[in-house]
Amino acid sequence: MPPHPESWLRVTPQGLYCEPGGFFIDPQRPVDRAVITHGHADHARPGHEAVLATPATLAIMRARMGEAGAGTVQQPIRPGETLVQNGVAIRLVPAGHVLGSAQVVLDWQGSRAVVSGDYKRQRDTTCAPFEPVNCDVFVTEATFALPVFRHPPPEEETAKLLKSLALFPDRTHVVGCYALGKCQRLIRLLREAGWEAPIHLHGALATLCTLYETLGVPLGPLAPATVANKAALKGAIVLAPPSAVQDRWARRLAEPVVAVASGWMRVRQRAKTRGVELPLVISDHADWDDLNRTIDEVGAPEVWVTHGRDDALVHAMALRGIRGRALHLVGLGDEEDDAPQPEAAA
């Protein structure tokens, strides 16, 4: 009989550890061997000796943390390829979260576990879509695992932004969005909606936009958002880190309309307390319906929940006869609480 994954995957202070393979998945502390699901800093930390990840994730880690930050030894593995480490077969399968994001598929002695990292099911032209994989244990995130979180189509939210631009053509629309993934996705949504003018970037977003284009994701004309030229930014779209839209930087723009693109904008009180005039519910995480749909599609009789609102999700699974278990891994969270990027000449 194949061994249950709980006999060979365990939670440690460093993170989730594959014992027969001798490696960690998204470890929170420096380790000898790490498999990294994606480049957000709550999953990709510096200081590991050997790092296995998709080529795009390794490139993102180097851009954010320097060459050494992505591991002393860096081993790229493309989706569909298989690597065997001490008898454990490792595959990376697209997660649909951000460019390069992947689920980790582990097979050992006839038993299979899939560690999702972060994922979403909505369409996103900046990264490969999520692929369900049947398994014995599925390890899922639960960032938005409450029934109140049902994300609208992102095209509808983009239309809200363009409608506001038409109503207030003399005001600068500054949109808070995370530097990795959300920024580039929003740019692509705007291009698809017909916005052809240059999109202006806070300095903290420029590096990863350049990297995305290098990796084959076209973004169209971009320009630096220099607040000294605020008159030239009337009627323009400016993208900036969420923290920047709340400080003096944004207030120096021309009568700014403050927006934030985040799944958390579903919570009106959160938007109000942050001074957000135009909340845009655009998320790179699965919502309540997509979390439950994904769990049903992978067909795992047991699901482990790594972070977020695990109690509601575990209860919902129990009603369907699926065993749920909260892992309580330390250090994982929403990417908007991630380490800030350097705010170069904005």
Side-chain angles (χ1 to χ4, degrees), residues 98-247:
V98 298
L99 183 62
S101 62
Q103 307 168 76
V104 182
V105 181
L106 304 174
D107 289 286
W108 187 63
Q109 296 186 358
S111 177
R112 173 176 289 172
V114 175
V115 183
S116 71
D118 290 336
Y119 64 96
K120 71 173 178 291
R121 304 301 302 273
Q122 287 187 331
R123 174 178 171 272
D124 182 351
T125 61
T126 69
C127 63
F130 180 95
E131 296 180 11
V133 178
N134 292 113
C135 52
D136 301 299
V137 164
F138 182 58
V139 184
T140 182
E141 62 144 312
T143 303
F144 292 111
L146 285 175
V148 68
F149 291 113
R150 288 182 163 94
H151 304 325
E155 294 81 7
E156 292 182 4
E157 301 301 287
T158 308
K160 290 180 184 178
L161 175 58
L162 294 178
K163 182 179 179 180
S164 181
L165 280 155
L167 288 172
F168 305 106
D170 292 329
R171 299 179 67 184
T172 301
H173 283 65
V174 56
V175 186
C177 54
Y178 189 65
L180 171 56
K182 186 71 61 64
C183 171
Q184 297 79 21
R185 185 185 182 200
L186 183 55
I187 292 171
R188 292 279 293 189
L189 285 166
L190 287 165
R191 299 306 186 200
E192 290 178 353
W195 185 265
E196 298 178 353
I199 294 173
H200 298 263
L201 302 178
H202 183 285
L205 307 185
T207 298
L208 287 176
C209 285
T210 300
L211 179 62
Y212 262 62
E213 294 208 293
T214 300
L215 295 175
V217 181
L219 300 176
L222 305 173
T226 306
V227 293
N229 296 330
K230 65 180 183 180
L233 294 178
K234 288 184 177 181
I237 297 174
V238 174
L239 305 185
S243 58
V245 304
Q246 296 174 287
D247 66 15

